[in-house]
Amino acid sequence: SPAREARQARDLLRACGYQPAGAEGGAIRLRNCPFDRLAREQRALVCGMNLALLEGVVAGLALRSVRAAADPQPGCCCVALRPRGGGRGRAPKLGAG
């Protein structure tokens, strides 16, 4: 179920040092970046790494209800888990902001 998948994802992300939180529309936002110090100098690299890591979480847990998406927001990680089937607008540029 989507609720079970969200719980699995949050538990694994916490174990990786992230602070996952529920967000608008059923998304899971990450309130921090465990690589923040490096991101200050190499934002595009770290944001790309975070996206790849979250894509691996989705694939590794075989999550069907969410997808990793670039979604930079002030004070949060540049990647979020978004419900599948939502709008497919243009993805934000990683490392922006």
Side-chain angles (χ1 to χ4, degrees):
S1 76
R4 179 187 55 78
E5 289 186 0
R7 189 171 45 255
Q8 285 180 305
R10 283 191 305 268
D11 289 348
L12 182 56
L13 291 168
R14 278 189 202 100
C16 292
Y18 293 94
Q19 296 172 351
E24 185 177 322
I28 297 174
R29 293 242 26 114
L30 304 173
R31 293 180 292 188
N32 72 319
C33 174
F35 313 104
D36 187 54
R37 291 181 73 191
L38 178 60
R40 290 180 203 146
E41 295 180 20
Q42 299 290 328
R43 184 165 304 279
L45 172 70
V46 172
C47 291
M49 183 178 69
N50 277 323
L51 179 59
L53 179 66
L54 266 71
E55 288 172 339
V57 166
V58 170
L61 293 176
L63 304 179
R64 297 174 189 247
S65 62
V66 296
R67 62 183 173 80
D71 188 12
Q73 299 289 324
C76 294
C77 179
C78 55
V79 181
L81 293 179
R82 295 262 172 228
R84 287 195 188 269
R88 294 195 176 258
R90 197 172 133 210
K93 182 178 178 183
L94 281 174

